[in-house]
Amino acid sequence: KNQVEQSPQSLIILEGKNCTLQCNYTVSPFSNLRWYKQDTGRGPVSLTIMTFSENTKSNGRYTATLDADTKQSSLHITASQLSDSASYICVVQSGGSYIPTFGRGTSLIVHP
Amino acid sequence: DGGITQSPKYLFRKEGQNVTLSCEQNLNHDAMYWYRQDPGQGLRLIYYSQIVNDFQKGDIAEGYSVSREKKESFPLTVTSAQKNPTAFYLCASRSLTTADTGELFFGEGSRLTVL
């Protein structure tokens, strides 16, 4: 069964600090991995996509990594801002399927 | 602007009533999805549709029904048979063309509360 596990479940940091969120997956065959950001009471929005051949990809202060051998991904947030407070969801797409597999998300709270 | 629109944003229902959540997209996407989100849980798939007049059950379809009469529209009905309907409901769409990267485009969600 395809599964996506995220850690930590929740995280509290001070504004300006860095943090890293983790995602482990067992999805086969692997097609791509996305990180979504979901603000409270809103729909998720894609931050970045990682394909099999990509190791690192940045989107502003967000940097995603992918290790396809160990089936792990991370999302690093640099110099956090209050607006980074949200849930971050790891979603893995398997080849040939229309149904992606969702992680439960990491809830990030950034305090001033 | 192109996007996906859900309505209403908030909905209150008495026990025993059916309610319908609207989802409309003008992205010309082929596939549409309904997810349910509960606190501390991931998104769970209720129904999805790849083409007009066809849809499939997801993991938690019991107590829900959908229709796909038009490409742009995918309404969800929460029936009285759904035992615990209070939740946040998200509609999403996806292109299935050759340019498809698997990205889901979500609406802003509908929060249903049973009184």
Side-chain angles (χ1 to χ4, degrees):
Chain A
K1 180 181 178 183
N2 290 337
Q3 286 189 317
V4 175
E5 301 287 341
Q6 291 187 244
S7 63
Q9 183 175 351
S10 61
L11 183 61
I12 301 174
I13 62 174
L14 291 175
E15 186 178 12
K17 299 296 186 183
N18 303 336
C19 66
T20 300
L21 314 180
Q22 301 289 347
C23 173
N24 295 342
Y25 62 92
T26 53
V27 175
S28 182
F30 176 84
S31 177
N32 60 63
L33 181 149
R34 284 186 183 275
W35 285 92
Y36 286 81
K37 178 186 179 187
Q38 183 180 20
D39 293 319
T40 301
R42 307 288 294 275
V45 176
S46 177
L47 287 174
T48 185
I49 178 175
M50 304 293 291
T51 59
F52 188 85
S53 59
E54 295 174 311
N55 298 117
T56 303
K57 182 179 287 185
S58 292
N59 178 6
R61 295 180 296 101
Y62 300 102
T63 299
T65 67
L66 176 67
D67 186 334
D69 292 330
T70 61
K71 299 185 178 181
Q72 296 179 327
S73 176
S74 67
L75 181 69
H76 185 77
I77 304 175
T78 303
S80 61
Q81 300 177 357
L82 299 180
S83 59
D84 293 331
S85 295
S87 179
Y88 293 85
I89 305 171
C90 178
V91 182
V92 182
Q93 179 67 52
S94 62
S97 171
Y98 296 115
I99 310 301
T101 303
F102 283 77
R104 291 192 173 195
T106 292
S107 176
L108 174 65
I109 298 175
V110 180
H111 278 311
Chain B
D1 288 353
I4 183 165
T5 302
Q6 289 186 238
S7 64
K9 178 72 173 175
Y10 300 95
L11 185 61
F12 298 89
R13 188 194 94 174
K14 294 181 179 179
E15 286 192 19
Q17 288 183 334
N18 294 353
V19 293
T20 297
L21 308 181
S22 170
C23 179
E24 303 279 333
Q25 55 100 358
N26 60 4
L27 299 168
N28 199 31
H29 284 175
D30 297 291
M32 297 187 74
Y33 305 76
W34 273 106
Y35 289 92
R36 170 178 172 145
Q37 188 173 37
D38 294 283
Q41 294 201 36
L43 274 68
R44 292 184 290 168
L45 182 63
I46 304 173
Y47 269 97
Y48 67 101
S49 169
Q50 296 161 225
I51 57 173
V52 174
N53 292 324
D54 189 39
F55 46 83
Q56 288 77 42
K57 293 181 180 180
D59 300 320
I60 57 166
E62 184 176 353
Y64 300 97
S65 66
V66 293
S67 63
R68 187 85 186 276
E69 298 177 0
K70 299 186 301 181
K71 187 176 184 179
E72 302 80 17
S73 179
F74 192 41
L76 173 74
T77 296
V78 185
T79 75
S80 56
Q82 168 50 232
K83 299 191 184 311
N84 184 21
T86 294
F88 189 55
Y89 292 87
L90 285 161
C91 180
S93 69
R94 170 183 170 181
S95 169
L96 298 181
T97 66
T98 53
D100 176 35
T101 62
E103 181 176 0
L104 293 178
F105 293 79
F106 287 88
E108 290 296 282
S110 292
R111 185 169 298 280
L112 172 63
T113 303
V114 174
L115 303 174

